[in-house]
C-alpha cells in the first residue's frame, strides 16, 4: 500500500508521496513514486502513482524513454495537461494489456495502478488530474482542490477540515505533512521517507523538492506540536451533559 496526495491551490501546487511498497516483520521495500517532467521556463509536471509497482514503473519508463528518444509526441511536447493525462492513461492501458497477456491472467486487478498528474504549461492555468486504472480521469476544481491515492482514510479528514482552494500554500503544505503523519501513525504499510514538492504558479521552474526522512527536524516538530495541540484541545472541550451518563 502507499499514500500519495496532491493539492491545487490559487497560488500553486503541492505534491507528496510516501516510498514504502511492502511492509512486514522482516522486509520493507522503498521505491520512488513521484516523478517530475518538464522544460525549464516552459512547462512543469509531476506524476505520482499508487498500485502495481510493475505497472507504474513500466509507465514511468515508457514516458521517459519517449523523451530520451525524442519521440515527436511525448509528455514534454503535448499541447495541454489534458493531453498529458490522456497520454498517461493510454500508456497505462497498453502496459496492463501486455502484462495480462504475458501472465495469461484474466484478473486485471493484479496489474492496476492509479496516477495523479499536476502541473502547468506556459500560457495555461495550472491543473491537477486523477487518472484511474481504466485510463479515464477527472480534474481538480476550486470545490475539490485535492486528490489522494492509496491509503487515504487516515489523512483525508485533516485535509477536508483544513484545506480549500484559497488556503495559503505554506499552510496547505503543513496540513499535508500532518495528513501523512496521521497515516503513518495508523498504518504500517505507509512510511518514510516522503517525497515533497511545491510549485509556485507561473514560475515554470523545475523545483528540486525534498525527501523527508524519519529524522527530519521540521516534520517531527510539526508532528509533536499537532499531538500536543490535540491533547490540549481535548481537555478544553465542553463537558458532556449529565444525560450522557444515563
Amino acid at each position: 500500500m502507499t499514500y500519495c496526495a496532491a493539492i491545487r491551490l490559487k497560488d500553486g501546487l503541492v505534491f507528496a508521496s510516501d516510498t514504502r511498497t511492502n511492509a512486514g516483520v522482516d522486509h520493507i521495500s522503498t521505491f520512488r513514486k513521484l516523478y517530475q517532467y518538464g522544460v525549464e521556463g516552459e512547462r512543469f509536471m509531476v506524476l505520482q502513482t499508487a498500485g502495481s509497482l510493475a505497472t507504474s514503473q513500466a509507465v514511468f519508463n515508457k514516458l521517459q524513454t519517449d523523451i530520451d528518444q525524442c519521440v515527436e509526441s511525448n509528455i514534454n511536447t503535448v499541447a495541454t495537461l489534458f493531453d498529458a493525462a490522456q497520454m498517461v492513461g493510454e500508456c497505462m492501458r497498453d502496459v496492463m494489456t501486455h502484462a495480462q497477456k504475458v501472465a495469461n491472467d484474466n484478473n486485471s486487478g493484479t496489474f492496476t495502478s492509479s496516477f495523479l498528474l499536476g502541473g502547468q504549461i506556459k500560457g495555461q492555468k495550472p491543473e491537477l488530474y486523477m487518472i484511474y486504472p481504466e485510463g479515464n480521469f477527472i480534474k481538480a476544481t476550486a470545490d475539490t482542490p485535492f486528490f489522494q491515492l492509496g491509503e487515504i482514510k487516515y489523512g483525508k479528514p485533516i485535509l477536508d477540515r483544513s484545506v480549500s482552494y484559497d488556503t495559503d500554500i505554506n499552510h496547505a503544505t503543513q496540513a499535508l505533512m500532518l495528513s501523512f503523519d496521521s497515516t503513518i501513525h495508523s498504518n504500517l504499510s505507509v512510511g518514510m521517507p516522503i517525497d515533497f514538492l511545491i510549485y509556485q504558479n507561473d514560475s515554470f521552474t523545475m523545483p528540486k523538492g525534498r525527501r523527508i526522512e524519519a529524522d527530519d527536524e521540521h516534520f517531527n516538530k510539526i508532528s509533536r506540536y499537532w499531538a500536543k495541540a490535540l491533547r490540549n484541545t481535548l481537555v478544553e472541550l465542553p463537558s458532556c451533559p449529565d444525560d450522557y451518563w444515563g
Side-chain angles (χ1 to χ4, degrees):
M1 186 56 73
T2 188
Y3 180 38
C4 300
I7 309 173
R8 174 180 171 256
L9 306 160
K10 65 176 182 179
D11 295 324
L13 294 155
V14 186
F15 308 88
S17 296
D18 89 316
T19 56
R20 181 168 294 184
T21 57
N22 189 18
V25 175
D26 58 356
H27 183 69
I28 296 176
S29 298
T30 299
F31 286 92
R32 187 173 183 85
K33 305 168 194 172
L34 184 155
Y35 287 83
Q36 187 176 165
Y37 303 93
V39 178
E40 190 79 24
E42 177 192 327
R43 64 180 61 205
F44 158 83
M45 296 183 204
V46 165
L47 189 61
Q48 302 166 265
T49 187
S52 167
L53 180 62
T55 297
S56 299
Q57 288 193 333
V59 171
F60 289 132
N61 290 338
K62 177 63 167 61
L63 295 173
Q64 188 59 52
T65 297
D66 286 349
I67 294 172
D68 295 340
Q69 295 182 352
C70 298
V71 175
E72 183 176 356
S73 179
N74 63 64
I75 200 167
N76 279 349
T77 64
V78 293
T80 66
L81 260 294
F82 180 90
D83 293 332
Q86 280 191 318
M87 178 175 287
V88 173
E90 291 170 2
C91 182
M92 178 169 51
R93 285 198 300 268
D94 290 344
V95 168
M96 289 170 56
T97 298
H98 176 71
Q100 290 165 28
K101 287 181 179 178
V102 171
N104 193 24
D105 188 351
N106 293 322
N107 182 11
S108 60
T110 305
F111 307 103
T112 60
S113 289
S114 300
F115 291 86
L116 299 180
L117 174 70
Q120 184 179 22
I121 295 175
K122 200 163 188 178
Q124 303 171 28
K125 294 181 179 180
E127 293 180 327
L128 173 63
Y129 290 92
M130 177 185 285
I131 306 169
Y132 295 103
E134 296 78 13
N136 56 331
F137 49 87
I138 58 174
K139 185 171 76 170
T141 66
D143 293 327
T144 308
F146 67 86
F147 288 140
Q148 300 168 284
L149 295 177
E151 190 57 78
I152 70 173
K153 59 181 176 289
Y154 301 106
K156 189 174 187 298
I158 293 175
L159 299 182
D160 282 338
R161 287 177 174 268
S162 61
V163 173
S164 70
Y165 178 73
D166 294 320
T167 300
D168 175 81
I169 195 167
N170 180 61
H171 293 158
T173 300
Q174 292 173 322
L176 191 50
M177 287 185 180
L178 291 174
S179 176
F180 272 80
D181 179 63
S182 294
T183 303
I184 290 170
H185 273 80
S186 299
N187 193 305
L188 183 63
S189 68
V190 178
M192 298 289 199
I194 304 169
D195 290 320
F196 248 90
L197 197 149
I198 302 172
Y199 172 78
Q200 297 277 351
N201 287 351
D202 302 320
S203 62
F204 301 105
T205 59
M206 302 294 288
K208 294 180 180 180
R210 178 171 180 171
R211 173 159 283 196
I212 299 177
E213 303 285 355
D215 60 353
D216 186 89
E217 182 179 353
H218 178 68
F219 185 91
N220 290 329
K221 187 175 184 179
I222 287 178
S223 176
R224 291 193 299 270
Y225 269 58
W226 179 247
K228 182 178 179 180
L230 286 176
R231 289 192 295 268
N232 291 341
T233 300
L234 183 62
V235 172
E236 295 170 0
L237 288 174
S239 299
C240 296
D242 292 340
D243 58 2
Y244 272 58
W245 306 98

